[in-house]
Amino acid sequence: MYSSSIADAPLVREPLHAPVAHLIRGGMIEGIHYGSVVVLGGDGDVRFQLGDIEAAFYPRSALKPVQAVAMARAGLPLDGELLSLTAASHSGEERHLAGTRRILELAGLTEDHLRNVPDMPYDPVVRDTWVRAGRLPSRLAQNCSGKHAAMLYTCRLNGWSLEDYLDPGHPLQQAIAEIVEDLTGQRIARVTVDGCGAPLFSVSLHGLARAAARITTAVPGTPEARVADAMREHAEMASGSGRDVAALMRAVPGLLAKDGFEGVQVAALPDGRAIAVKIADGANRARVPVAAAALAWAGVDPELLTEFRGEALLGGGQAVGCVRPVRSLEPVVVSACA
């Protein structure tokens, strides 16, 4: 299905994004979200595309399943909830903090060994409770703490240094980069620093979708299959209560899905059908309905995607419009507004 060779890095250029969603208010287009969308068939061929799916871009946290696979290949023995947390952009709920502590305990380490950026919990309700209790930003509460704890555990198991585990030249990050290239099927275009402090690798939207498909079609028991199983079975550990990405995995049987900051979404089915979305302005309100429309193009029953068709736009407290995918996507997913 996929070539074992690795292609050249995607070009670093201004992406040629296209309109992917309209803001409809009172039956008129009030605004336009630009972006790019790719849908892969089970054979790996591109079945649908909008915008620029080959330019280099930063997948942000949508790349976490690939990073988790790399750690599993390097000997990380986690499964179930803790492996799901390894690939998480978690909400900062107590179960996420407890899971991160458990990973650190298994490594014989503490929160003081983490090098991610201290932050408040990502979920607004959890964050408000945190603030009312007088709690300060912490590395444990930051949404990438599970990944960082797993990185430290992987380093401990391999005898790699701990203090500099975020350096792009560190053996851990070199191992992750190798798996990024393996699963995306292309060289990394550029390396920078993600919001949490970890190295961030630039690939193409097409490459991101290809990586997700390779994870979901892997042989049972492999690191790829372990990560996919863990995230699907423990969707809330990879995100949080009330998060759209967890709801999407619950709604569509067998779906693996991961979101990322700046409007990124990737998802794949067990047979290799996959989608990837990048919203140019980073808007979540466009990411969700566009991803749902792309999944319908991939063959997912539109009835399973009803709750993801776009949030209402309000006027005077009443719904007067919505965020709607552009017409080239809409023949598959019927919009919630005119």
Side-chain angles (χ1 to χ4, degrees):
M1 181 172 63
Y2 292 104
S3 171
S4 59
S5 61
I6 297 177
D8 291 340
L11 293 178
V12 177
R13 65 184 183 215
E14 181 177 351
L16 303 175
H17 291 308
V20 294
H22 291 151
L23 278 66
I24 306 297
R25 182 181 297 271
M28 291 179 56
I29 296 175
E30 181 179 32
I32 300 173
H33 288 290
Y34 283 72
S36 296
V37 181
V38 61
V39 177
L40 302 183
D43 56 3
D45 289 346
V46 175
R47 297 299 173 85
F48 179 85
Q49 68 181 83
L50 272 178
D52 194 343
I53 69 170
E54 303 296 353
F57 90 119
Y58 291 122
R60 303 299 298 270
S61 287
L63 199 62
K64 282 178 178 172
V66 178
Q67 293 172 308
V69 168
M71 287 184 268
R73 286 196 191 183
L76 185 69
L78 302 177
D79 283 297
E81 289 189 350
L82 296 185
L83 185 55
S84 183
L85 184 59
T86 296
S89 301
H90 66 69
S91 291
E93 299 165 28
E94 285 302 322
R95 61 177 157 184
H96 300 128
L97 276 58
T100 301
R101 290 191 194 98
R102 179 57 181 155
I103 296 173
L104 290 169
E105 289 170 0
L106 290 169
L109 303 171
T110 69
E111 182 180 352
D112 291 338
H113 290 90
L114 294 171
R115 292 291 179 267
N116 57 318
V117 177
D119 201 356
M120 296 290 193
Y122 177 74
D123 183 89
V125 175
V126 178
R127 183 169 58 247
D128 288 348
T129 301
W130 187 281
V131 172
R132 284 196 298 270
R135 302 173 75 175
L136 299 174
S138 79
R139 298 184 193 277
L140 205 63
Q142 196 269 336
N143 76 90
C144 302
S145 64
K147 178 183 77 174
H148 281 255
M151 285 181 169
L152 285 166
Y153 192 9
T154 305
C155 290
R156 175 57 65 88
L157 290 167
N158 285 277
W160 297 331
S161 59
L162 303 180
E163 296 78 9
D164 60 342
Y165 76 93
L166 296 183
D167 189 311
H170 190 280
L172 170 69
Q173 302 303 336
Q174 290 294 300
I176 291 174
E178 180 180 345
I179 303 309
V180 169
E181 294 187 337
D182 178 30
L183 293 180
T184 62
Q186 59 191 175
R187 299 293 179 193
I188 292 167
R190 188 163 292 179
V191 181
T192 188
V193 182
D194 209 342
C196 66
L200 176 61
F201 305 105
S202 177
V203 293
S204 70
L205 196 67
H206 189 180
L208 179 65
R210 190 161 45 226
R214 288 179 170 176
I215 290 172
T216 58
T217 58
V219 175
T222 60
E224 291 90 335
R226 284 169 50 205
V227 169
D229 289 343
M231 293 182 67
R232 289 184 294 220
E233 293 169 13
H234 304 279
E236 287 78 11
M237 284 298 281
S239 53
S241 303
R243 295 273 293 280
D244 60 75
V245 69
L248 190 59
M249 284 194 276
R250 290 193 302 268
V252 181
L255 185 72
L256 174 70
K258 184 69 186 76
D259 54 347
F261 280 152
E262 296 304 321
V264 183
Q265 178 79 58
V266 67
L269 292 155
D271 63 2
R273 288 174 290 158
I275 66 103
V277 170
K278 164 64 181 175
I279 305 301
D281 61 6
N284 275 331
R285 67 178 181 180
R287 171 182 60 83
V288 177
V290 170
L295 284 168
W297 265 109
V300 173
D301 182 354
E303 292 301 315
L304 299 176
L305 302 168
T306 301
E307 65 178 295
F308 309 102
R309 290 179 178 172
E311 65 184 62
L313 296 184
L314 302 181
Q318 302 295 318
V320 294
C322 72
V323 180
R324 184 182 73 191
V326 295
R327 292 296 186 188
S328 56
L329 282 167
E330 274 209 315
V332 179
V333 177
V334 178
S335 68
C337 65

